[in-house]
Amino acid sequence: MAPTIVIVGYTAYQSILHECRSSLTLADLSAGVSGLTSALLLSKSIKGCDLTIVAKHMPGDYDIEYASPWAGANFEPMSSREGSRWERRTWPELKRLTEEVPEAGIHFQKSRVYRRNKDMEVEGQLGLFALDPWFKDLFDDYRELNKDELLPGTDSGCGFTSVCINTAIYLPWLLGQCRKAGVIFKRGVLGNIREAKTLSHTGRPADIIINTTGLGARKLGGVEDAALAPIRAQIVLVRNELPTMLSVSGTEDEPADLIYTMQRAAGGGTILGGTYDMNNWESAPDPNIALRIMRRVVEARPDIANGKGVAGLDVIRHGVGLRPYRHGGVRIEDEKLDESTWIVHNYGHAGWGYQGSYGCAERVVELVDKIRAQVKSKL
Ligand code: FAD
């Protein structure tokens, strides 16, 4: 018998699919990038399992409880060398999709990362602004920028070719790949993770529940993970084009303010960012923050608005999303719910849910394989 799996939340969906052709019943709780990616990999890995995705929000929705549609989304490594598995393992697949699968809505884009010496005490050791980053070996064309390529007020920088994902295309594409692999999608709001056991479309109890509920895991009964916290991200989406992505290590404005841009593939507009505001749950865009975001971008790159300043920007939408941050890092682990049911958690990806999506979903598959090996006779 193949196992029955239910995925709660879109992100876990890809993991569940992997398990689906082997009499395993999986429930995936979530339709974010983590659930969908998990489900897709599961569907490829496990033949014959029944995979159901149950989620409150699905691709096409825009809601403060659903981070994935708001993301830029690009691949700008944020991890330390030691913690780089998720991003390292994701890059080759995003690169392959960009080269070979145009309908996924991803394109290559030159990235320029600028460092200010005054930010380096905090930013200079780890992540995107590291002075000696682990990812210089990941990108074929990584190089340090020359002094004459720097933005005013910055001291050093690096450049490489990365990708930008149009999430409005990519999330429905992932959903379509899952449907093609036999995954069944259902709307549902769970008060307790235990409810997922009864939500498989087969009518049989789920053997494994994939929990990819993002920030929702903070209040989901049976999980209630107090280590989760929102990092508020306000953005402006404009019709103007800026073919080079840019990120700067700091600004002269408020401590939570950032400066970054990325142009989405296939006419998706350009995202202007942003903020990184820990523990702020506010869902409404703040007009003062929006003005600061736009002003910083036109000052750094006047060409985006043909030199006309903020007035030269053509706004499609103002937006706010909450990055699902987890103190202590992402939670990817298995847990026994009762004698016949297991949970595999995959949540807490903060600002790197896309760029770590395939690496994390791969780990979900490993954990499902481990559970199946332990209870071979049943699954
Ligand atoms: P979510 O997308 O939040 O999905 C959670 C799912 O679980 C939803 O389907 C929800 O309905 C469901 N759910 C939750 N609770 C329940 C419940 N009780 N019952 C049923 N369903 C439930 N990442 C990058 O890699 N690159 C970027 O450039 C980038 N830019 C970003 C820019 C912004 C403005 C923001 C906000 C985020 C950005 N991120 C980026 C981060 C990225 O968006 C997140 O890490 C990622 O989307 C998290 O996905 P997720 O699937 O785990 O959670």
Side-chain angles (χ1 to χ4, degrees):
M1 267 275 279
T4 304
I5 300 181
V6 174
I7 297 188
V8 185
Y10 189 64
T11 306
Y13 186 61
Q14 285 182 317
S15 305
I16 295 221
L17 266 174
H18 237 3
E19 293 296 325
C20 260
R21 297 283 141 208
S22 70
S23 87
L24 176 72
T25 302
L26 294 168
D28 186 347
L29 304 182
S30 146
V33 69
S34 311
L36 290 173
T37 312
S38 301
L40 185 57
L41 296 197
L42 283 167
S43 71
K44 289 180 183 166
S45 156
I46 303 174
K47 300 295 168 210
C49 85
D50 294 297
L51 177 56
T52 313
I53 291 197
V54 183
K56 183 174 181 184
H57 303 99
M58 295 279 180
D61 298 345
Y62 282 90
D63 194 281
I64 195 65
E65 294 180 350
Y66 185 26
S68 292
W70 298 108
N74 63 11
F75 187 101
E76 300 269 279
M78 292 180 188
S79 56
S80 62
R81 186 179 297 275
E82 297 70 33
S84 63
R85 170 182 174 179
W86 317 124
E87 293 177 335
R88 235 180 240 286
R89 298 288 305 167
T90 299
W91 172 247
E93 181 58 6
L94 289 182
K95 188 163 178 272
R96 186 192 72 78
L97 291 173
T98 309
E99 284 165 350
E100 299 175 14
V101 187
E103 61 272 29
I106 311 175
H107 68 174
F108 287 115
Q109 210 170 5
K110 292 235 177 286
S111 177
R112 293 284 177 267
V113 176
Y114 302 95
R115 313 178 192 106
R116 305 186 315 167
N117 286 345
K118 62 174 105 171
D119 304 321
M120 283 306 102
E121 203 173 310
V122 178
E123 305 280 1
Q125 312 304 318
L126 302 171
L128 185 59
F129 301 103
L131 294 164
D132 180 25
W134 63 266
F135 55 82
K136 66 183 180 192
D137 302 324
L138 193 71
F139 300 107
D140 302 334
D141 61 350
Y142 178 94
R143 67 180 179 87
E144 284 293 304
L145 299 180
N146 302 319
K147 286 282 174 209
D148 62 359
E149 295 176 283
L150 299 178
L151 290 177
T154 64
D155 301 292
S156 68
C158 63
F160 48 87
T161 301
S162 182
V163 296
C164 183
I165 302 169
N166 184 341
T167 61
I169 297 176
Y170 184 63
L171 292 172
W173 177 81
L174 276 179
L175 186 148
Q177 297 305 299
C178 290
R179 276 176 60 84
K180 199 156 90 176
V183 176
I184 304 296
F185 283 83
K186 294 193 332 190
R187 288 270 182 178
V189 184
L190 278 74
N192 192 296
I193 188 120
R194 193 171 283 280
E195 294 163 31
K197 224 180 138 168
T198 61
L199 292 176
S200 167
H201 67 277
T202 62
R204 296 197 305 275
D207 301 304
I208 302 173
I209 297 162
I210 313 291
N211 174 24
T212 50
T213 50
L215 209 47
R218 197 167 185 274
K219 61 177 185 189
L220 180 63
V223 184
E224 291 158 309
D225 189 339
L228 282 164
I231 301 180
R232 184 177 184 276
Q234 181 163 333
I235 51 98
V236 185
L237 180 65
V238 297
R239 292 187 180 82
N240 307 63
E241 299 192 339
L242 191 60
T244 309
M245 294 195 266
L246 72 91
S247 308
V248 185
S249 60
T251 79
E252 292 301 294
D253 293 334
E254 298 299 316
D257 284 6
L258 300 177
I259 170 166
Y260 65 87
T261 71
M262 65 193 82
Q263 188 178 318
R264 285 174 164 178
T270 302
I271 295 275
L272 314 182
T275 58
Y276 195 85
D277 201 358
M278 181 73 83
N279 288 322
N280 185 342
W281 294 89
E282 178 55 57
S283 61
D286 177 328
N288 290 316
I289 292 176
L291 197 55
R292 292 205 299 271
I293 290 172
M294 295 188 285
R295 185 180 43 72
R296 284 192 296 267
V297 171
V298 296
E299 279 174 6
R301 289 295 300 264
D303 50 323
I304 189 173
N306 288 326
K308 294 179 187 156
V310 171
L313 293 174
D314 185 358
V315 176
I316 300 170
R317 148 184 342 125
H318 294 273
V320 175
L322 301 179
R323 303 176 182 95
Y325 176 77
R326 186 169 183 269
H327 295 281
V330 66
R331 184 179 184 197
I332 312 183
E333 64 182 5
D334 57 313
E335 182 186 1
K336 194 160 186 189
L337 181 65
D338 57 37
E339 272 319 299
S340 57
T341 321
W342 285 259
I343 304 172
V344 175
H345 300 282
N346 178 18
Y347 64 81
H349 304 85
W352 54 271
Y354 284 84
Q355 61 201 43
S357 55
Y358 285 92
C360 293
E362 214 176 58
R363 180 66 186 145
V364 168
V365 173
E366 285 173 12
L367 292 172
V368 168
D369 285 344
K370 186 188 93 174
I371 294 166
R372 295 181 72 207
Q374 276 169 10
V375 286
K376 215 177 236 158
S377 53
K378 183 170 180 294
L379 304 181

